[in-house]
Amino acid sequence: MKAALGVVRFVMAVVNSMFFATLELIVIVAGKNDRVFHALARGWAHTTLLICGVKVNVRGLEKVTRGRSYVYVSNHASMFDIPAVLASVPDQIRILYKKELNWIPIFGWGLKYGSYIAIDRRRGAEAMKSLEEAAKKIRTGASALLYAEGTRTLDGKLQPFKRGAFNLAMKAGVPVVPLTINGSYRLLPKRSIVVQPGEVELVLESPIEIKGAGKEEEMRLMDEVRAAIQKHYVEQS
């Protein structure tokens, strides 16, 4: 019975996603406005969490300054990570997502033509162009969210970090905010469609400023961010 109810929650969340994606497509056709697009995305996030019975607890919001741009770097355990962050962090956050999602009807179209940025992970040159586009958005007052691991964990453990998020922070010249996400893995593990209600914890650490350039600075940022996320991370299963 619990499994069946979990599948119903998943289906309702998909329908909710399609509804908000349709609204975003209407906004895009009418004349794309990044702030309206983000407001709708936050509406989608709040309703998705409500439908699925997910509560979000946040610690560390006082460490970030309203109105300042950041690159938020987090771990990635579940499809609930994005709605949890969008609904709970009061910032103009732009998501960098894998380009394959563009192929999903309606939902993917909203991503493709909206304010978020696709990353083609199979093509290095295209990925770099995407980072340049993201850096331009950040310089105009937005923030960005990237997953340090590049993809969702399959076992609930923290995976090796990739350099893209730190390269973006250096291109944009903004601080990096380490963001730990706990509890989302058990709600909807990768390759599952059974949603379990529960709680997600977000922990924001103090922003890490850019102090240099080149690969050495990227590695410093990556090491410091990993240490900050690891400090709060709870292995999930």
Side-chain angles (χ1 to χ4, degrees), residues 58 107 113-114 150:
V58 189
F107 179 77
Y113 297 109

Side-chain angles (χ1 to χ4, degrees), residues 171-216:
K171 287 180 183 297
V174 300
V176 179
V177 176
L179 171 57
T180 307
I181 303 175
N182 289 320
S184 63
Y185 178 77
R186 64 168 295 275
L187 304 181
L188 187 66
K190 193 172 183 177
R191 299 173 186 167
S192 173
I193 60 169
V194 179
V195 175
Q196 301 291 338
E199 294 189 2
V200 174
E201 179 190 49
L202 305 182
V203 185
L204 289 85
E205 266 295 349
S206 298
I208 300 173
E209 301 286 345
I210 308 298
K211 296 180 180 178
K215 184 177 179 181
E216 184 176 326

Side-chain angles (χ1 to χ4, degrees), residues 44-45 76 78-87 95 97 145 147 181:
W44 162 78
H76 193 18
S78 165
M79 291 174 64
F80 280 103
D81 295 340
I82 288 178
V85 173
L86 288 181
I95 308 295
Y97 67 94
L145 170 67
Y147 296 116
I181 303 175

Side-chain angles (χ1 to χ4, degrees), residues 83-98:
V85 173
L86 288 181
S88 307
V89 179
D91 198 348
Q92 286 288 320
I93 297 176
R94 307 293 179 253
I95 308 295
L96 275 76
Y97 67 94
K98 59 183 181 181

